[in-house]
Amino acid sequence: MNISATARRSHGKARQAGNSSAVEAGGRAGFVARGVIYVLVGVLALRIAFGDSGGGKQADRGGALAEIAQKPFGHVLLWVIGVALVGMALWRLSEAAFGAAGPDGDKATKRLASAGRAVFYGFVSYSVLMFAAGDRGSGSGSGDARSQDVTARVLDMTGGRWIVGAAGAVIAGAGLWIAGRAALRKFHKHLRMGEMSPAQRRGVDITGVFGGVSRGLVFAVAGGFAVSAAVKARSGEAKGMDDTLRSFSATPAGPWLLALIAVGLMAFGVFSWANARWRKI
């Protein structure tokens, strides 16, 4: 019996299971849901930039969910988004287990990254489903307070300042990595670019670069605030997404920089919808 051939057949069957139509549909639905959230966060941030305080909502995931909840059939849409994000988590989990699309999808680093994304989207989907079920703890007004509360608890631990500082540095580094990859258009290798028309390729490039750089900058600045909290040993220095976005208005560019970042987040939402159609899954 050829053991290596048997192993290859088993691996092929596992990859086929990981690339099933159900998993693919879940991943694509997840991209649509992610796009909805980012577009709404961008809209809320744009309102803040022009002085209406986002309609009383925070420019973060909780604020986006609260915005959806107020719309006709919003409660149903929240459940749909939550389930779609479960699909995203399961797709990432399948990548971790069976390998991602592409020639280097079986690399250990790729699988580890997919596992991390599966955990992240699992948490996000759980928070959305809990919100849909009536738990408003994930809703508007809680993101910044929760960030500061978690930071305060960690700072009270032995070596807490080092932990917070390291976490902030990792988040800031991840943000710069996200922005850099977007600027270099690394997303091309994940998309079926050959199926796009020239106009569609231009649109994907614009939203992918502008949206990815904007998203990366938000993460980088949030990480910087966490590092500041560690250095000063003050949990109030840590900021969630809403306070991080509002901080852009405090720069010399004023609300115009926040408006630019807000439009960038909306662009990332549109780019997520492009992924739903052309992503290699």
Side-chain angles (χ1 to χ4, degrees), residues 35 46 73 129 141 220 241 267 271 274:
L46 198 59
F73 305 105
L129 290 172
M241 190 171 194
F271 176 69

Side-chain angles (χ1 to χ4, degrees), residues 81-100:
I81 289 174
V83 172
L85 290 170
V86 171
M88 174 74 89
L90 292 176
W91 167 54
R92 290 300 192 181
L93 185 61
S94 76
E95 285 191 328
F98 308 119

Side-chain angles (χ1 to χ4, degrees), residues 31-50 59 64 203-204 206-216 218 241 245 257-275:
F31 279 117
V32 173
R34 188 181 74 174
V36 170
I37 291 174
Y38 268 97
V39 167
L40 288 176
V41 170
V43 169
L44 291 170
L46 198 59
R47 290 181 188 173
I48 292 169
F50 289 109
V204 167
I206 292 170
T207 56
V209 173
F210 182 30
V213 169
S214 298
R215 178 176 179 242
V218 172
M241 190 171 194
L245 286 170
L257 179 56
L258 173 56
L260 181 65
I261 296 295
V263 174
L265 294 179
M266 294 166 66
F268 184 77
V270 175
F271 176 69
S272 294
W273 294 336
N275 273 261

